[in-house]
Amino acid sequence: MGKLGEAGLAATAGPARTLGMEGECRASQARSWGLPAGGAGGDSPGGDAPLPGSISSSSLLQAEVLDLDEDEDDLEVFSKDASLMDMNSFSPLMPTSPLSMINQVKFEDEPDLKDLFITVDEPESHVTTIETFITYRIITKTSRGEFDSSEFEVRRRYQDFLWLKEKLEEAHPTLIIPPLPEKFIVKGMVERFNDDFIETRRKALHKFLNRIADHPTLTFNEDFKIFLTAQASEFSSHKKQGPGLLSRMGQSVRAVALSMRGVKSRPEEFMEMNNFIEIFSQKINLIDKISQRIYKEEREYLDEMKEYGPIHILWSASEEDLADTLKSVASCIDKCCKATEKRMSGFSEALLPVVHEYALYSEMLMAVMKRRDQIQAELDSKVEALTSKKADTDLLTEEIGKLEDKVECANNALKADWERWKQNMQNDIKSAFTNMAEENILYYEQFSIRSP
Amino acid sequence: MEQAAPDPERLWQPAPLEPLSHPDAGLESMVGEETKGARDEGPGDGTMTENNFSLKKIEISVSEAEKRTGRNAMNMQETYTAYLIETRSVEHNDGQSVLTDSLWRRYSEFELLRNYLLVYYPHIVVPPLPEKRAEFVWHKLSADNMDPDFVERRRIGLENFLLRVASHPILCRDKIFYLFLTQEGNWKETVNETGFQLKADSRLKALNATFRVKNPDKRFIELKHYSDELQSVISHLLRVRARVADRLYGVYKVHGNYGRVFSEWSAIEKEMGDGLQSAGHHMDVYASSIDDILEDEEHYADQLKEYLFYAEALRAVCRKHELMQYDLEMAAQDLASKKQQCEELATGTVRTFSLKGMTTKLFGQETPEQREARIKMLEEQIKEGEQQLKSKNLEGREFVRNAWADIERFKEQKNHDLKEALISYAVMQISMCKKGIQVWTNAKECFSKM
């Protein structure tokens, strides 16, 4: 992980990191990430084409140890540069001019420039008089200036993650926020806190935070920072701030009413996007189900095979001439079992979580689409109001002006993030399935080598 | 036991046993044609000289199966399957085969043949028939007797049965067997006329003997245990194998769903589209490959099943031994008691209870003349009894010797066949893996191009 050093950041000191700021407000110069020139870290193949969110980002996320080379001067330089820009996300109410926004917004992940490393581990059960719940330990290591320290350790529970997600959605309604693992267990399990369930959830939460960290905009969100760093009391008091329950409820009612209108005036490119999302969602959910089913069938196959082998041993006890042949068949079956177990574990680590995450992502995408439509609808309703009532034209015009900005911001943000998301998706899916194919090849090779 | 079959028209020389790894290929039986007059049928008496024979090969095959309808014994309509049996004789020199006989038989006639063989050759481990009803099925396999796959496997099994009988040194000479292959009409009547059903030992008698016999040959006891173990282990194996097949089928087939969904998904993707589409195709190939794989495995299962049923044939021989031994013991016991009676009458002492003794006490002593008469009768009975005992003893020993010879032959056959079956099973697995490697390598390539 010393890539940061190798990446020759000095060479890329010029381009600053992309700081996509939108939401409903300030837009600033969004520039694409400079490609690490020449001396790109060993991992990025062939320096020409950008490899945004390349496979390495997923593998990065899953790497247990993410050591930060703190004595890299390059890093210092880099963070200082970054700190010069105002990177904090901000309250949704400040207006912004669309003119400063460049249409060409590209979000690319640069693993070489990663300076925020998060791990989620050590689930612990807490029992109180009211409830039992699990907390997870979150360790953050960073070199960023705006963090008070370079290392943080906090404990959070699922509810806290939910809070974070909601805040991010509020702040950036048309960015694709990564999905959280399900709140409840879907089916089959009896205990809520079954070990497998906890482990799966832990991995998903780890993924969730790292996806945010890798996102060029979300990574600088203030709530995110607080989530990662605040100790228990500070954190709970922070959570209590923000729009109250009633106002949030009011917002959502309005939102539902508006979303219907937004659909009608959707620009072409978003129609296409919506179409994609609908079909993708269908297909990825099917693939999720299919993959789970394959795992289940393999598990049952393994169970039967485990009984199959020993019968041959039993038989060999009553035979003389056949004993050796029978015993070697039994040992082959046994090795087959082991190979199957390995195949299954590879499957459940590489493919299942990825496919499932994207199934959950598809819900996020639909929500993003809705929110975009809502923003558009707000604008449309005001425009309608303008054309029908002639009163208060000035006020309306001003409002419309703001809303137009807002819509444009939202649309551009979405577009940019969409491209980034799609690229990530493509890479993730490709590597997940390639991995699965590889596992299967290994499995069959294993088995065939051993046969008499 | 004496072969009760009347002299066959042709005497067939025992054939060298051949492995039945390809039941489809007609097995060849060496047939020796006897020169007239030089017949010798004593069991175990192998004095047939080869000079007397001009060797002819015959091939037997069960080549077709046909559905038929007819009326059964109760005059009700029924559907059954008939099998075509073709016999060819092969001229040793030029290798060409000439069809000598062909006729149709149904399963029940095979059963009749086998039951007949069981009665007349109780010292032989008679080859079993393929199963009457489909057992050890996994979900996709049909349990229906009319199902074409079942019929096909039965056809092979019946052919195998005939070849086993034809290559058995003793069974192949049986006339009823010969007629089974050559005389279509009237064969059933001919079999029934031998009266074999009457000669069959009753099940009850056999059961009784099994419990009461005191001194059976130890080897037969061991053999019975072995056959019980063999039966139990093979059934267990077949059951689990069927479940494994079921699960494997599931794994492969679910992958087929990927094919469909990938293809639909590819429609909305630009860069990933081609990769997805072609990967999907490979998933379909993978899913459909399991059908052939499992069909081959069924063949392996059938080979195991044959030996499952052979276990029963082994037990039948053991039962016969027990019966004969029990019979012997009873005869000996009977003789001993008669001797004792005689002795008592002669010496006038009554040591054991007898009805005669009782009635004498009640109704008065019998006259010396009467006593003499009885002694004489007993002495005659004793003489008869001794002779019978002697011949039973001889028969018993003869039986044990012959049975054991066949059992040794069977053991060798079993070891050879099962070893081959297990090896071919392993080969099947290897080939399945090779296919797997190929499909997934192709799929991987497609995925990596996405």
Side-chain angles (χ1 to χ4, degrees):
Chain A
M1 279 303 142
K3 282 169 39 191
L4 285 169
E6 292 164 25
L9 282 171
T12 59
R17 302 171 68 170
T18 310
L19 305 168
M21 319 274 191
E22 29 35 67
E24 301 161 9
C25 33
R26 194 182 318 157
S28 68
Q29 191 97 355
R31 287 166 58 193
S32 62
W33 293 72
L35 277 175
D43 279 8
S44 15
D48 291 332
L51 277 188
S54 63
I55 302 165
S56 40
S57 71
S58 326
S59 46
L60 265 181
L61 299 179
Q62 275 154 13
E64 286 295 301
V65 179
L66 302 172
D67 284 330
L68 199 56
D69 284 330
E70 286 173 12
D71 38 46
E72 290 291 342
D73 290 330
D74 292 344
L75 289 175
E76 294 302 311
V77 171
F78 182 79
S79 2
K80 268 195 234 142
D81 272 346
S83 64
L84 290 178
M85 319 267 286
D86 187 356
M87 305 175 296
N88 294 332
S89 98
F90 30 74
S91 104
L93 300 173
M94 288 163 68
T96 180
S97 153
L99 296 176
S100 56
M101 224 165 66
I102 286 185
N103 279 340
Q104 175 102 34
V105 177
K106 262 166 85 183
F107 292 165
E108 291 164 10
D109 282 1
E110 287 290 352
D112 292 348
L113 304 177
K114 202 172 155 84
D115 61 355
L116 185 65
F117 299 87
I118 307 173
T119 53
V120 177
D121 60 10
E122 273 195 23
E124 245 176 44
S125 185
H126 295 258
V127 186
T128 69
T129 44
I130 316 169
E131 54 175 351
T132 311
F133 60 91
I134 304 249
T135 60
Y136 302 85
R137 179 175 76 162
I138 302 176
I139 297 183
T140 309
K141 294 187 186 161
T142 179
S143 60
R144 287 191 199 165
E146 70 272 22
F147 283 78
D148 295 331
S149 155
S150 61
E151 199 167 320
F152 296 90
E153 182 178 321
V154 299
R155 285 208 151 260
R156 299 281 181 249
R157 57 185 290 191
Y158 184 80
Q159 258 178 29
D160 301 332
F161 284 84
L162 267 177
W163 168 86
L164 175 62
K165 175 162 156 280
E166 280 165 13
K167 296 301 281 183
L168 290 174
E169 282 173 344
E170 243 178 75
H172 311 281
T174 56
L175 285 189
I176 302 171
I177 313 292
L180 274 177
E182 283 106 332
K183 203 172 164 103
F184 302 111
I185 307 143
V186 183
K187 57 187 167 185
M189 282 190 244
V190 181
E191 284 172 43
R192 210 168 118 224
F193 295 125
N194 165 303
D195 279 349
D196 279 341
F197 173 74
I198 292 174
E199 178 58 16
T200 311
R201 185 179 258 198
R202 181 198 68 76
K203 285 195 191 135
L205 292 174
H206 175 101
K207 195 75 184 274
F208 171 73
L209 291 179
N210 278 282
R211 287 239 191 243
I212 298 174
D214 287 342
H215 192 289
T217 307
L218 296 176
T219 192
F220 297 109
N221 180 287
E222 185 64 26
D223 290 311
F224 181 50
K225 173 158 164 263
I226 291 178
F227 179 92
L228 292 174
T229 58
Q231 289 311 309
S233 51
E234 187 196 334
F235 186 61
S236 43
S237 59
H238 178 83
K239 279 205 290 181
K240 291 188 182 127
Q241 302 166 18
L245 182 64
L246 282 174
S247 80
R248 270 187 278 143
M249 270 175 62
Q251 270 178 19
S252 58
V253 169
R254 223 171 97 245
V256 170
L258 285 176
S259 66
M260 301 290 15
R261 290 185 90 172
V263 179
K264 295 180 200 144
S265 55
R266 218 188 258 152
E268 180 63 30
E269 59 195 324
F270 293 111
M271 288 303 264
E272 265 179 49
M273 197 185 283
N274 191 65
N275 189 44
F276 181 95
I277 290 173
E278 270 176 20
I279 298 182
F280 175 78
S281 168
Q282 226 185 54
K283 301 311 162 195
I284 195 69
N285 273 291
L286 277 174
I287 291 184
D288 188 30
K289 285 208 185 79
I290 294 171
S291 308
Q292 304 277 0
R293 180 67 191 276
I294 288 180
Y295 187 78
K296 176 169 166 280
E297 294 284 338
E298 282 200 5
R299 151 117 283 135
E300 293 182 343
Y301 169 72
L302 181 67
D303 288 342
E304 298 296 352
M305 284 295 267
K306 282 194 173 150
E307 203 187 322
Y308 194 41
I311 300 177
H312 293 78
I313 303 273
L314 187 67
W315 187 359
S316 71
S318 38
E319 296 287 343
E320 283 165 20
D321 286 353
L322 285 178
D324 286 337
T325 314
L326 285 168
K327 282 188 192 149
S328 66
V329 171
S331 92
C332 280
I333 293 176
D334 193 46
K335 288 182 186 157
C336 180
C337 285
K338 297 211 166 62
T340 304
E341 275 171 342
K342 182 166 177 299
R343 177 198 201 185
M344 279 171 68
S345 98
F347 195 67
S348 83
E349 274 169 31
L351 186 77
L352 292 182
V354 172
V355 165
H356 192 62
E357 191 196 14
Y358 278 94
L360 293 173
Y361 248 127
S362 68
E363 283 169 35
M364 298 287 108
L365 292 174
M366 289 184 159
V368 164
M369 213 56 213
K370 251 203 189 136
R371 291 196 288 266
R372 191 220 71 87
D373 289 343
Q374 279 166 27
I375 296 174
Q376 170 114 33
E378 254 186 83
L379 172 65
D380 291 348
S381 73
K382 285 287 190 301
V383 170
E384 224 181 271
L386 185 66
T387 52
S388 56
K389 310 177 205 175
K390 304 294 172 138
D392 256 347
T393 358
D394 292 337
L395 187 62
L396 272 178
T397 316
E398 196 191 326
E399 279 182 17
I400 287 174
K402 286 191 205 152
L403 286 174
E404 276 173 352
D405 285 353
K406 191 169 156 186
V407 166
E408 184 149 356
C409 255
N411 286 347
N412 287 331
L414 176 56
K415 273 196 284 190
D417 209 23
W418 174 249
E419 285 310 315
R420 173 179 174 271
W421 178 86
K422 270 194 75 175
Q423 196 58 59
N424 272 347
M425 184 270 282
Q426 191 165 320
N427 291 325
D428 289 346
I429 295 283
K430 166 175 154 179
S431 85
F433 277 101
T434 308
N435 213 291
M436 168 175 92
E438 182 64 43
E439 284 288 340
N440 280 316
I441 293 173
L442 283 176
Y443 165 75
Y444 282 116
E445 279 177 353
Q446 258 286 312
F447 193 14
S448 62
I449 290 170
R450 287 171 286 93
S451 293
Chain B
M1 299 293 270
E2 284 292 322
Q3 294 175 27
D7 304 329
E9 287 162 22
R10 275 210 209 120
L11 206 58
W12 298 347
Q13 180 166 27
L17 292 171
E18 303 204 7
L20 294 166
S21 47
H22 301 287
D24 264 330
L27 232 205
E28 295 176 355
S29 241
M30 301 294 279
V31 177
E33 186 160 330
E34 182 226 354
T35 57
K36 309 251 184 289
R39 249 177 296 112
D40 200 329
E41 288 185 47
D45 188 353
T47 56
M48 289 169 254
T49 51
E50 292 199 6
N51 315 347
N52 294 344
F53 292 86
S54 56
L55 297 171
K56 259 197 193 168
K57 284 193 209 172
I58 67 158
E59 287 172 8
I60 308 178
S61 63
V62 177
S63 46
E64 276 170 50
E66 206 176 78
K67 218 157 78 160
R68 300 227 179 128
T69 49
R71 296 216 166 261
N72 67 5
M74 305 206 286
N75 211 30
M76 294 197 311
Q77 264 246 329
E78 59 166 1
T79 321
Y80 64 90
T81 313
Y83 300 86
L84 179 66
I85 305 177
E86 293 179 324
T87 316
R88 290 180 163 73
S89 92
V90 184
E91 287 301 322
H92 193 52
N93 308 324
D94 58 12
Q96 278 186 347
S97 72
V98 176
L99 187 66
T100 50
D101 289 285
S102 105
L103 40 66
W104 292 86
R105 294 269 184 230
R106 52 186 294 194
Y107 187 81
S108 58
E109 291 173 280
F110 281 85
E111 280 184 308
L112 191 61
L113 172 65
R114 184 163 192 271
N115 289 337
Y116 161 84
L117 291 173
L118 281 172
V119 172
Y120 276 100
Y121 302 89
H123 61 296
I124 302 287
V125 185
V126 179
L129 285 171
E131 53 192 358
K132 205 171 164 81
R133 266 165 289 276
E135 277 177 56
F136 305 112
V137 289
W138 50 283
H139 90 274
K140 207 219 149 205
L141 224 49
S142 167
D144 174 22
N145 280 8
M146 286 290 152
D147 177 79
D149 285 334
F150 179 77
V151 168
E152 173 59 16
R153 288 188 4 252
R154 179 179 264 193
R155 181 192 69 73
I156 295 174
L158 291 174
E159 187 177 272
N160 193 40
F161 168 74
L162 291 177
L163 293 171
R164 291 259 193 223
V165 174
S167 51
H168 190 284
I170 296 172
L171 295 179
C172 67
R173 299 187 224 163
D174 186 274
K175 178 161 194 193
I176 296 287
F177 174 60
Y178 173 69
L179 291 175
F180 181 84
L181 296 175
T182 56
Q183 175 189 311
E184 184 156 20
N186 237 24
W187 176 81
K188 274 214 268 203
E189 287 73 11
T190 314
V191 185
N192 289 328
E193 273 164 22
T194 62
F196 78 93
Q197 278 116 340
L198 300 170
K199 295 200 172 76
D201 298 315
S202 84
R203 260 319 218 190
L204 199 57
K205 227 171 93 182
L207 200 61
N208 186 46
T210 304
F211 281 127
R212 299 218 182 155
V213 68
K214 294 200 183 91
N215 244 347
D217 186 314
K218 244 198 275 227
R219 292 177 296 173
F220 283 94
I221 299 184
E222 279 168 21
L223 186 66
K224 226 176 24 154
H225 283 156
Y226 171 74
S227 71
D228 287 338
E229 277 170 17
L230 188 71
Q231 178 166 13
S232 129
V233 88
I234 294 187
S235 354
H236 192 192
L237 200 148
L238 285 172
R239 258 198 312 272
V240 179
R241 189 212 71 90
R243 293 205 299 256
V244 169
D246 217 2
R247 292 292 157 214
L248 197 61
Y249 183 80
V251 172
Y252 272 73
K253 285 298 177 191
V254 180
H255 278 86
N257 288 313
Y258 273 148
R260 182 177 52 89
V261 180
F262 279 177
S263 159
E264 292 166 0
W265 183 4
S266 70
I268 52 171
E269 293 287 346
K270 294 192 190 84
E271 289 163 39
M272 284 214 295
D274 288 337
L276 273 178
Q277 177 90 312
S278 39
H281 162 73
H282 293 297
M283 292 295 100
D284 286 333
V285 169
Y286 183 68
S288 60
S289 68
I290 191 68
D291 294 313
D292 284 344
I293 291 169
L294 287 179
E295 205 179 287
D296 286 344
E297 268 202 25
E298 251 352 274
H299 174 56
Y300 167 69
D302 283 342
Q303 289 176 295
L304 291 184
K305 273 184 212 170
E306 192 192 15
Y307 280 93
L308 175 66
F309 303 141
Y310 255 125
E312 177 56 36
L314 280 175
R315 270 206 295 278
V317 176
C318 294
R319 274 200 299 273
K320 184 66 183 178
H321 165 75
E322 282 167 352
L323 208 64
M324 291 179 73
Q325 180 67 15
Y326 179 67
D327 211 27
L328 186 67
E329 286 170 8
M330 288 288 100
Q333 201 178 314
D334 192 51
L335 183 66
S337 99
K338 282 205 165 71
K339 281 188 176 165
Q340 194 176 27
Q341 266 190 348
C342 199
E343 191 200 315
E344 284 168 15
L345 282 178
T347 59
T349 51
V350 180
R351 268 189 303 228
T352 56
F353 173 80
S354 76
L355 194 58
K356 200 66 187 156
M358 235 28 255
T359 55
T360 332
K361 281 205 155 68
L362 292 171
F363 300 113
Q365 202 85 347
E366 54 180 0
T367 63
E369 292 81 21
Q370 285 173 315
R371 190 142 52 100
E372 270 311 313
R374 277 211 297 137
I375 291 178
K376 194 133 186 201
M377 191 177 71
L378 273 174
E379 277 176 352
E380 264 175 43
Q381 284 180 340
I382 287 172
K383 209 156 157 188
E384 233 180 85
E386 274 172 350
Q387 268 200 356
Q388 266 198 6
L389 193 65
K390 205 157 152 189
S391 75
K392 278 203 162 108
N393 226 328
L394 209 65
E395 273 174 28
R397 283 211 288 269
E398 195 77 46
F399 176 88
V400 167
R401 201 177 64 216
N402 292 331
W404 210 255
D406 199 50
I407 287 165
E408 290 299 327
R409 178 205 64 81
F410 167 77
K411 276 193 189 159
E412 265 189 51
Q413 173 196 298
K414 167 201 72 139
N415 286 336
H416 176 275
D417 290 349
L418 288 177
K419 196 169 203 159
E420 257 200 32
L422 288 164
I423 291 178
S424 84
Y425 180 63
V427 169
M428 268 183 240
Q429 302 301 308
I430 294 182
S431 122
M432 173 176 94
C433 290
K434 289 214 171 94
K435 283 189 206 162
I437 291 177
Q438 193 179 45
V439 170
W440 284 105
T441 308
N442 290 338
K444 181 178 168 188
E445 211 182 293
C446 295
F447 286 133
S448 56
K449 289 200 186 121
M450 291 202 312

